[in-house]
């Protein structure tokens, strides 16, 4: 009987290759366990430089308080789903995605909510409204947001003021010019500009785009010649006329 060395060698090499491929595939499917512990936490906040509430330190602090900050933890014990769920409990976070890598890193990507109006109502309410109409609690956040005052209930803020805030934020002129919105007891609104010693009465918040277009023309062809402080009150409620009250000063 002749021993076939070439056939035996081929079978041995084939077996070793199969074992290698099995181990490689297994390691690839378990990337969170190829590194013993979490060596780094990467936090990315979408558009963090644009009028947002959150920064990386605040996200880290939030996870530390819930005992979910993964730095130094065994990678096979880092629960990315729990991290996402904890982050989504924060009213300033719209979405959160967390994942692990083979190199011992945990990546956290966050999309935050953006405020468009701050509400300081007569009833004592003090909060922000974002561009989707969500109520956001008052924080240390400081920005040149339009402030809404007066007789404001939360449904009014979420529906009416959100719509006004979205429009103002999309218009460079009015986003910079309007400083305050005051809601009267009948639901009509006044606007206080940054430039000019006057108040603009818009009536009920309908046809806002048309009223502000007329006001822009009045600014351009009227106040620019007469003087920005000539009138104390400008009534834009009616389509066919603009009623102005002279400034006694």
């Amino acid at each position: 009987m002749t021993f076939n060395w070439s056939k035996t060698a081929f079978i041995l090499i084939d077996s070793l290759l199969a074992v290698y491929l099995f181990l490689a595939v297994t390691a690839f499917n378990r990337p969170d366990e190829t590194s013993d512990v979490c060596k780094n936490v990467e936090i990315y906040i979408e558009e963090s430089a644009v009028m947002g509430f959150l920064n990386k330190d605040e996200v880290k602090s939030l996870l530390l308080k819930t005992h979910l900050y993964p730095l130094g933890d065994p990678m096979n014990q880092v629960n990315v789903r729990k991290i996402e769920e904890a982050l989504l409990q924060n009213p300033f976070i719209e979405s959160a995605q967390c994942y692990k890598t083979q190199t011992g890193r945990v990546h956290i990507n966050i999309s935050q909510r953006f405020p468009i109006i701050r509400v300081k109502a007569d009833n004592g309410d003090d909060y922000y409204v974002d561009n989707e109409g969500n109520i956001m609690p008052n924080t240390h956040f400081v920005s040149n947001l339009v402030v809404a005052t007066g007789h404001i209930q939360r449904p009014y803020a979420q529906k009416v003021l959100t719509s006004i805030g979205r429009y103002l934020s999309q218009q460079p002129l009015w986003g910079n010019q309007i400083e305050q919105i005051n809601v009267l007891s009948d639901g009509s609104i006044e606007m206080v500009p940054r430039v000019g010693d006057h108040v603009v009465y818009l009536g009920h918040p309908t046809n806002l785009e048309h009223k502000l277009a007329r006001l822009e023309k009045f600014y351009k062809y009227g106040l620019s010649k007469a003087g920005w402080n000539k009138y104390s009150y400008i009534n834009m409620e009616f389509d066919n006329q603009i009623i102005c009250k002279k400034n006694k000063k």
Side-chain angles (χ1 to χ4, degrees):
M1 180 178 180
T2 304
F3 190 79
N4 193 333
W5 287 100
S6 60
K7 182 176 181 180
T8 302
F10 177 79
I11 293 173
L12 181 60
I13 293 173
D14 193 48
S15 299
L16 291 173
L17 181 61
V19 172
Y20 171 78
L21 290 174
F22 173 77
L23 293 175
V25 170
T26 302
F28 179 77
N29 287 328
R30 298 169 64 189
D32 55 315
E33 297 182 7
T34 57
S35 178
D36 292 336
V37 298
C38 174
K39 300 175 182 177
N40 195 12
V41 180
E42 297 287 346
I43 300 173
Y44 172 74
I45 302 175
E46 181 182 348
E47 298 183 5
S48 59
V50 184
M51 69 174 193
F53 284 99
L54 296 171
N55 57 48
K56 294 180 181 181
D57 289 338
E58 289 169 331
V59 174
K60 177 180 177 180
S61 177
L62 188 155
L63 292 176
L64 285 171
K65 288 179 181 178
T66 55
H67 306 289
L68 289 172
Y69 191 67
L71 187 64
D73 291 345
M75 288 296 286
N76 59 0
Q77 294 181 19
V78 175
N79 191 322
V80 295
R81 180 63 62 85
K82 283 188 176 180
I83 291 175
E84 292 173 350
E85 290 174 351
L87 292 173
L88 290 174
Q89 295 299 312
N90 188 294
F92 307 129
I93 295 178
E94 184 174 19
S95 65
Q97 181 185 26
C98 180
Y99 64 92
K100 299 181 281 187
T101 70
Q102 299 181 50
T103 56
R105 293 175 180 267
V106 174
H107 292 261
I108 301 173
N109 296 329
I110 290 173
S111 174
Q112 61 182 324
R113 301 185 187 279
F114 291 104
I116 53 175
I117 282 183
R118 180 174 182 178
V119 175
K120 301 188 71 173
D122 287 350
N123 60 12
D125 277 350
D126 188 353
Y127 54 86
Y128 298 93
V129 181
D130 74 0
N131 56 348
E132 298 295 331
N134 298 299
I135 299 294
M136 305 169 69
N138 182 24
T139 68
H140 61 273
F141 178 74
V142 178
S143 179
N144 292 325
L145 291 178
V146 175
V147 177
T149 58
H151 298 261
I152 304 172
Q153 300 298 324
R154 294 199 173 198
Y156 184 95
Q158 291 178 287
K159 295 179 181 179
V160 179
L161 292 182
T162 297
S163 178
I164 294 174
R166 276 200 298 258
Y167 179 77
L168 295 180
S169 65
Q170 293 168 1
Q171 307 295 320
L173 171 62
W174 302 120
N176 293 321
Q177 170 69 346
I178 302 302
E179 183 175 36
Q180 179 183 348
I181 296 172
N182 187 48
V183 181
L184 304 180
S185 58
D186 62 352
S188 60
I189 61 174
E190 299 171 328
M191 288 187 170
V192 179
R194 297 183 191 277
V195 178
D197 187 16
H198 59 266
V199 173
V200 178
Y201 179 70
L202 295 178
H204 288 279
T206 57
N207 300 321
L208 183 67
E209 183 176 353
H210 175 64
K211 292 175 181 178
L212 290 180
R214 291 171 55 227
L215 180 60
E216 182 178 0
K217 291 181 180 179
F218 181 68
Y219 276 176
K220 185 176 180 179
Y221 300 108
L223 292 190
S224 62
K225 297 179 180 179
W228 285 91
N229 297 324
K230 182 174 182 178
Y231 302 109
S232 62
Y233 205 79
I234 301 172
N235 188 334
M236 304 294 301
E237 181 180 14
F238 306 106
D239 286 340
N240 58 351
Q241 60 181 332
I242 298 175
I243 304 173
C244 300
K245 180 179 179 181
K246 285 188 177 181
N247 196 331
K248 293 182 180 180
K249 296 180 182 179

